[in-house]
Amino acid sequence: MDILSVVSVGLGIAGLGYALYQSHERRKLQDYNRSEAWYLYAKTNNMTGISQVAFERYKEIHADTLNPELIELMAKSSAFGLDLFRETVRLIQLSETDFDYASIDRWAQHGKIDGESHKSLFTGLVVDTKDTESVFQRMWRRAVDWRERRQTKSKNR
């Protein structure tokens, strides 16, 4: 075995080791992102709930002397909180490997998702992969449809 072969084998083994290391680091990063998405979901849920309760309590206590500017600011705060809350659900969708109806039901059973209203935010983001076609399947189906229409037209003449 000459020196070039030894160096090539050594570089190949080093490359394989580095690929395994990068795969492990990628998995750790994905786990971290998933954990952060669920953490943000819990915190925005708390923040949104507290701001909505505070808004309702203010309207109850100061029903006769409501400040329109304060009501507008609290309404904006609530709207921005809800928007952020929806965004955290989307982050969960992107970070979870399985994001389907069964997973959402499981998360609701384990208490990760709070209530049916939250569950509906999750189910609205489910992409049903069983009903989607690949580009090649769609092209094939269109070609077959076109051929059938053409044959039907030629028979009707």
Side-chain angles (χ1 to χ4, degrees), residues 129-141:
T129 57
K130 294 178 181 98
D131 293 337
T132 58
E133 291 180 303
S134 72
V135 172
F136 298 111
Q137 290 170 327
R138 192 172 26 248
M139 288 172 50
W140 181 260
R141 182 178 45 79

Side-chain angles (χ1 to χ4, degrees), residues 98-110 119 123 126:
D98 293 326
F99 192 89
D100 54 11
Y101 296 109
S103 298
I104 294 168
D105 289 337
R106 188 176 63 251
W107 297 332
Q109 288 173 351
H110 293 296
K119 193 174 172 183
T123 56
V126 171

Side-chain angles (χ1 to χ4, degrees), residues 38-57:
W38 282 105
Y39 177 78
L40 286 173
Y41 168 79
K43 293 302 174 188
T44 55
N45 183 22
N46 291 341
M47 187 268 313
T48 303
I50 289 170
S51 68
Q52 289 175 350
V53 168
F55 186 42
E56 292 303 317
R57 288 285 293 148

Side-chain angles (χ1 to χ4, degrees), residues 32-44 88 91-92 95-96 99 103 107 111-113 122:
Y32 174 78
N33 286 339
R34 185 177 311 112
S35 173
E36 282 295 305
W38 282 105
Y39 177 78
L40 286 173
Y41 168 79
K43 293 302 174 188
T44 55
T88 61
L91 288 174
I92 291 171
S95 66
E96 284 291 339
F99 192 89
S103 298
W107 297 332
K112 284 179 104 173
I113 297 175
F122 282 81

Side-chain angles (χ1 to χ4, degrees), residues 81-97:
L82 287 172
D83 190 44
L84 181 61
F85 185 69
R86 288 186 196 99
E87 181 64 18
T88 61
V89 173
R90 192 185 69 78
L91 288 174
I92 291 171
Q93 177 204 22
L94 295 174
S95 66
E96 284 291 339
T97 53

Side-chain angles (χ1 to χ4, degrees), residues 52-66 71 74:
Q52 289 175 350
V53 168
F55 186 42
E56 292 303 317
R57 288 285 293 148
Y58 171 77
K59 290 192 305 187
E60 287 173 9
I61 294 171
H62 301 287
D64 52 339
T65 59
L66 292 175
I71 287 179
M74 291 181 85

